[in-house]
Amino acid sequence: MTDQAAALGESRPTRRCGRRLFLYGGVFLGAILARLHAIGLKPFWMDEVTTIERSSKPFLAMIVDALTHHHLPAYFILSSWVLHFGSSETVLRLPSAIFGALSCGVLASIGRRSGGWRVGLLAGLLMAFSPIQVQYGQEARPYALMILGIVIALKGLVELALDPAAAGAPIGAPAARRAWGLYLIGTWTAINVLSAALPWLIVAAVAAAALALQPGMDRRQFLRNWAIVHAIIAALSIPLFIAMSALGLGGIDGGLDWVPPLTAGHIWSATASVFLFRVSSLISFHLYPAAIPGFAAMILGLAVLGALFLRHRPPLLVAIAAACTVLPLLLLAISLRYPVWMPRYVLWSAPGFFLLVAFGLRLLPAPLRSPALALLILLAGINLLPYYRDETKPRWDLAASALEADIQPGDLVLVRDDWRRQMMELYLARAGAPPAVAWTTDVAAATAKILSKEPAQA
């Protein structure tokens, strides 16, 4: 009996590990399939063409170009390696699909660790089937990688919140090392991919303040750990931000003059697309009709239930609630004077919200939890389907095709700005050797060209 008991005890960790891998693997599989489906069908748009052009430059020129235009270079270094395998939509978007799917798996692990397997499965699959998360998982831009960093950092923050005593242990202690390491790696990754991740430091500070108030922890050691981790992050990050400030065109906040003024409609559009599963256009605030009427209300109701369930676990509630509210509130406040409110800038708040929604299951009667879980996953999957057929990106490929039929060698093409030239040249080149044409943004030059072709008057 003793040998049998020992064997049984040894097998339980193996079974638990297998169940966890099955959960995370299942969420990852659902997420990667959602992102790989039709990944190459929608054409590149101008920001993705910027990725191609910048990543094609020599290494040092690429770094300087990124910093000059207020972009951190990490993602473009990665995409320059990917370009060796081709420049099609599918190839260049593949890293974002992988990063997005990994984020869903990590979020599932946060939910399982803090609320059980149902919470983990629902949180992970809500993120897997969120239309805007799939959209940015099918874009050759840095957002999916930034979100992966945020979710890893959130995992570390949640693990600290779940064990205040370990959070206050020396940072090298086994109980503390994992959580602090996850937080450090995730935070450093996110803020060195996109400066839009910097408000995450405010989220973390709010969560840390709540955690420091908990009994049963060494507050002094916790604050020492906090200082050490952020000193490392600062030492590895500040030089790049100094370089971006020094090289950047128009100041560190340059490049945001295109963001439209804040309106109630814009607030709703970003909120609905980021949190409430509405499909939206990538570069405008247009929302497409809801695929499943009432689904957004269900999601919002469960998020409220989730917050109520967590009210007796203050450190965890503060960490998750801060992760999904601090950034939108900050951007709204800033936008009252300087518009920065755009769905892509609110994007990394969604994982925390999906956790709140998933925790809402815990307040449902026990017999309803599994049916509600299955129903929500089914509805989320159905809700995603219209995204694949909606025209969420401008059809520059069609514009170039129409232009190709009309232009002749020696023509001068008038465009509104240089972005349009870049888009046209990309798709004209794909169609074959484009005619030798010139481009201008000067109406007077275009007019002079037209007049020079008119026959002389008798």
Side-chain angles (χ1 to χ4, degrees), residues 38-45 48 75 82 88-98 137-140 393 427:
I39 190 172
L41 292 185
K42 297 184 180 183
F44 285 132
W45 70 294
E48 291 180 295
Y75 174 80
V82 176
S88 69
E89 284 87 348
T90 298
V91 170
L92 280 179
R93 291 169 178 168
L94 184 59
S96 289
I98 295 171
Q138 293 188 331
E139 185 180 358
K393 292 186 175 183
Y427 284 104

Side-chain angles (χ1 to χ4, degrees), residues 92-130:
L92 280 179
R93 291 169 178 168
L94 184 59
S96 289
I98 295 171
F99 296 142
L102 287 172
S103 298
C104 299
V106 176
L107 189 66
S109 74
I110 299 173
R112 187 211 63 82
R113 173 80 171 81
S114 56
W117 71 268
R118 290 186 185 87
V119 173
L121 183 61
L122 182 57
L125 288 180
L126 286 177
M127 188 162 175
F129 300 145
S130 164

Side-chain angles (χ1 to χ4, degrees), residues 238-259:
I238 288 177
L240 270 179
F241 282 89
I242 292 174
M244 186 165 61
S245 179
L247 295 174
L249 298 172
I252 196 70
D253 59 346
L256 294 175
D257 53 344
W258 58 271
V259 179

